[in-house]
Amino acid sequence: MKYDWSTGEAWGKAGAGLLLGTALYLAFCSVCATSVPVAQDVALALGVLGGFPVWVGGIYYAVLSKTVVRAWLVLGTMTGLLVGAVLYVRFVA
């Protein structure tokens, strides 16, 4: 792990971790609320409780990734896939 980050790299990784980690968490909660075949309140609780490790993992990945661009791309892609799954379930299936 690199310990001598530039200012831009530190802000980029912090931004990726907090913004996209939170977006990933919300997308995971939405997937659980729309796709899990249990009662709505149970699915939402599962999403909230199960999404916390997803959020922490997203932040860890952003901090430990080799470049800022890679952190943004990977977390953004994962969030996009989950949002796409929610939209598919809501409007197509």
Side-chain angles (χ1 to χ4, degrees):
M1 185 171 156
K2 183 178 170 184
Y3 292 105
D4 54 343
W5 290 352
S6 66
T7 304
E9 188 176 15
W11 278 105
K13 287 187 176 192
L18 292 177
L19 294 175
L20 288 177
T22 303
L24 184 65
Y25 173 73
L26 292 173
F28 181 81
C29 290
S30 298
V31 166
C32 287
T34 58
S35 302
V36 177
V38 293
Q40 187 73 23
D41 56 345
V42 174
L44 190 57
L46 179 67
V48 169
L49 295 175
F52 183 72
V54 172
W55 182 64
V56 172
I59 293 173
Y60 280 160
Y61 180 80
V63 170
L64 296 176
S65 66
K66 291 188 184 271
T67 63
V68 174
V69 174
R70 186 175 188 177
W72 279 91
L73 286 175
V74 169
L75 290 176
T77 301
M78 291 170 50
T79 302
L81 289 173
L82 288 176
V83 168
V86 169
L87 293 175
Y88 177 79
V89 167
R90 294 292 284 178
F91 298 114
V92 177

